[in-house]
Amino acid sequence: MKHNRSKRHHITGVLAALCGALAISCQNLFGGSSNYIAANTYDAAVDIHCESLNRTNDAAVSARHLLWKDGATAGTTVALSGATNLPLGTIDNIESSTGLTQKVILLGKEKTVKMVASEAMATIGVKVYAAASGKIALTGVVLVGRILTAAGADGDVVEVESCFPRVEPNGVNTVAGATLAIPVTKRRVSKTTGGAEALTLANGLPGQRLSIELAVDGGDGTLTPTTKSGFTAIVFADALDIAELEYVDDTVGWIIVGLSGTAAPPAFS
């Protein structure tokens, strides 16, 4: 009997200790007074999301699995994403009307998603980038993941291991003479001039790098970006003149990171 009572007392003591530890943990977690609770009051106006969120569509959802970005009312609506946008995710739905609630599957949430290719993609595991019309491409500015299944042609649906979209440009745009707009949809631009040309450069994405090279000199190309700081224009006068630019934000715009050339660097003003 003494042995049983001793055993019972031992078990009771262990349970009491566990209960005490649990009580202390709860006090630390939830607070021992109303001051803690008041400082951490739940805000019902702010929601959190795991793998998807609901937004209304600014445009018709013409095809499933396209990329969508913040719309006209950020935080409320979505619009079809492009090659130089940071997308939120995909919509696995078709809807001809606008202003209706859509489920947006968020990118970078440790799951694969379906996306629409803009070109053939034969190699599995390569990086893919946001492209025009909500599709993806093998080159671009905004990285969205890597493909896990191949695409035979434009419009094919592929499986993608998505990531949080980030500015990580790659690829080369080749621009012919008489084309004055320098594209911002890839990492590098190879430009041919067809005489004296007044070149333009649109705004980019914060942190974006762009290298512009005069590949064939058919005349001076004078580049004037829409938004820039520290300079007004850059003159590409000789073949292999190169300007390395970086886009800071919509206030500072493009800045010059470096200039190089075979005889001398491009002049700027």
Side-chain angles (χ1 to χ4, degrees):
M1 291 292 292
K2 290 182 179 179
H3 175 74
N4 291 336
R5 283 198 300 271
S6 176
K7 187 176 181 180
R8 285 196 298 270
H9 290 161
H10 175 72
I11 294 173
T12 302
V14 171
L15 291 174
L18 290 173
C19 289
L22 180 60
I24 293 172
S25 298
C26 290
Q27 186 177 16
N28 291 335
L29 180 62
F30 297 110
S33 68
S34 60
N35 291 335
Y36 181 90
I37 297 173
N40 293 274
T41 301
Y42 175 73
D43 190 343
V46 177
D47 202 358
I48 59 174
H49 303 85
C50 180
E51 296 179 350
S52 65
L53 51 77
N54 291 329
R55 297 282 176 89
T56 57
N57 56 315
D58 283 342
V61 185
S62 60
R64 292 182 172 87
H65 317 309
L66 297 175
L67 293 169
W68 292 76
K69 64 174 183 175
D70 269 316
T73 306
T76 302
T77 67
V78 287
L80 195 61
S81 191
T84 56
N85 300 129
L86 290 170
L88 289 171
T90 62
I91 296 178
D92 291 357
N93 184 37
I94 293 178
E95 178 55 65
S96 58
S97 300
T98 60
L100 299 179
T101 299
Q102 307 293 327
K103 178 182 177 182
V104 181
I105 300 173
L106 298 172
L107 302 183
K109 291 298 183 179
E110 299 183 357
K111 63 176 292 186
T112 63
V113 297
K114 295 178 182 180
M115 296 184 188
V116 182
S118 65
E119 58 185 328
M121 299 177 178
T123 306
I124 304 302
V126 298
K127 294 178 178 179
V128 287
Y129 296 79
S133 304
K135 298 180 180 181
I136 57 172
L138 296 173
T139 56
V141 174
V142 180
L143 179 68
V144 294
R146 64 187 187 98
I147 59 169
L148 301 180
T149 60
D154 176 22
D156 282 0
V157 175
V158 295
E159 183 183 10
V160 177
E161 180 185 21
S162 70
C163 66
F164 292 106
R166 62 178 183 267
V167 178
E168 190 180 304
N170 81 336
V172 181
N173 274 315
T174 301
V175 181
T179 299
L180 304 182
I182 298 298
V184 295
T185 54
K186 295 181 181 178
R187 176 65 177 85
R188 295 173 50 223
V189 174
S190 178
K191 178 72 175 86
T192 294
T193 52
E197 295 181 350
L199 308 177
T200 62
L201 180 62
N203 291 349
L205 289 173
Q208 179 179 351
R209 284 287 190 100
L210 180 65
S211 180
I212 305 170
E213 175 186 349
L214 181 58
V216 179
D217 177 17
D220 289 357
T222 302
L223 176 72
T224 305
T226 300
T227 308
K228 64 273 183 186
S229 292
F231 71 104
T232 300
I234 300 172
V235 180
F236 296 85
D238 301 301
L240 301 184
D241 277 357
I242 298 173
E244 179 77 11
L245 307 178
E246 181 174 342
Y247 192 80
V248 178
D249 56 35
D250 291 342
T251 299
V252 175
W254 294 101
I255 61 172
I256 296 175
V257 176
L259 298 170
S260 64
T262 53
F268 70 95
S269 58

